[in-house]
Amino acid sequence: MQPSVIFDLDGVITDTAHYHYLAWKALADSIGAPFDAEANEALKGIDRMASLRWIAARSARDFSEAELTTLAERKNAHYQRLIADMAPEDAFPGVPELLLALRRKGCRIGLASVSKNAAFVLDKLRLTELFDYVADAASIVRTKPDPEIFLTVAAALGTPPSACVGIEDAAAGVEAILAARMPAIGVGSSEILGRANLVVAHTREITPEMIFALAASVAEG
């Protein structure tokens, strides 16, 4: 039996991080909160409301829950306008081919993204049909680094966590995979993702054989 493979979205399948940055930057500027690219890195893998609270805490103003909800909606509307023109070519090189190869080899494939726009983005990239299950971030109580989203996807795929491999580009995501007791592949810097079982610079470097070998080696202990 082949392992199931659970992907993060942003930074693994496509680069929506820049659009998130632009939307968060505009919102932060509007409330007088300092925000730059380094601050944006700190929000990788963190859900929308937690990110908003982090930004709002840097403002001199206090916000009610109702105001925070309004700000979150404003940010999301801005983000959706920015990603409205995404197209299949916005998927990272090699991603469609990897997904197709995994399906041909009998793997079940899931998406574990905290983005509530994940399904919209997959549709824009024309990758929806290559996934067996896409997590509904709205139904997840605890965000990464808690393992809940990866455990939820594994359950939906009908696969024990130990028979899954998770792929992430954020340290919080790698911690979530490991907490779910799954082997982790990190995409990006080994300095940031060093806790992963395996780190590659780009998703295009990942092959089905690499995934199978990692799953087998972890299973053997």
Side-chain angles (χ1 to χ4, degrees):
M1 177 180 173
Q2 302 290 22
S4 291
V5 186
I6 305 177
F7 290 81
D8 179 38
L9 177 66
D10 297 343
V12 173
I13 289 174
T14 187
D15 182 15
T16 57
H18 179 62
Y19 300 122
H20 278 296
Y21 170 69
L22 293 176
W24 280 129
K25 174 65 173 167
L27 184 138
D29 289 348
S30 75
I31 63 173
F35 193 77
D36 56 17
E38 184 178 347
N40 190 59
E41 282 295 308
L43 301 183
K44 269 192 172 182
I46 309 301
D47 70 18
R48 188 186 309 160
M49 287 307 296
S51 296
L52 175 59
R53 292 181 194 281
W54 189 90
I55 292 171
R58 307 180 79 187
S59 169
R61 296 170 53 187
D62 292 324
F63 298 93
S64 67
E65 287 300 311
E67 288 173 324
L68 288 173
T69 298
T70 298
L71 288 173
E73 291 171 350
R74 186 203 304 173
K75 183 268 175 181
N76 190 50
H78 186 183
Y79 173 72
Q80 287 182 324
R81 289 194 298 273
L82 292 171
I83 63 175
D85 294 328
M86 290 187 77
E89 54 267 28
D90 289 311
F92 283 146
V95 165
E97 293 82 1
L98 174 60
L99 294 171
L100 284 166
L102 288 170
R103 290 195 71 85
R104 283 197 295 267
K105 292 179 181 296
C107 295
R108 293 182 62 75
I109 302 173
L111 190 79
S113 171
V114 296
S115 172
K116 294 179 181 177
N117 296 293
F120 176 82
V121 172
L122 283 185
D123 185 60
K124 285 288 184 178
L125 299 177
R126 297 182 187 171
L127 296 176
T128 303
E129 294 183 358
L130 297 180
F131 285 84
D132 296 291
Y133 182 78
V134 176
D136 178 3
S139 67
I140 303 299
V141 176
R142 295 173 298 278
T143 190
K144 302 170 187 177
D146 189 278
E148 180 183 8
I149 193 167
F150 283 97
L151 294 173
T152 298
V153 175
L157 295 176
T159 310
S162 60
C164 296
V165 173
I167 304 177
E168 266 279 0
D169 76 315
V174 168
E175 292 301 327
I177 295 170
L178 296 176
R181 300 189 179 279
M182 304 176 185
I185 297 177
V187 178
S189 166
S190 58
E191 292 183 3
I192 297 173
L193 306 173
R195 289 260 297 148
N197 301 88
L198 175 68
V199 179
V200 298
H202 306 284
T203 311
R204 64 173 176 268
E205 298 174 23
I206 302 172
T207 64
E209 290 71 27
M210 181 186 296
I211 292 170
F212 301 158
L214 174 60
S217 67
V218 172
E220 292 169 0

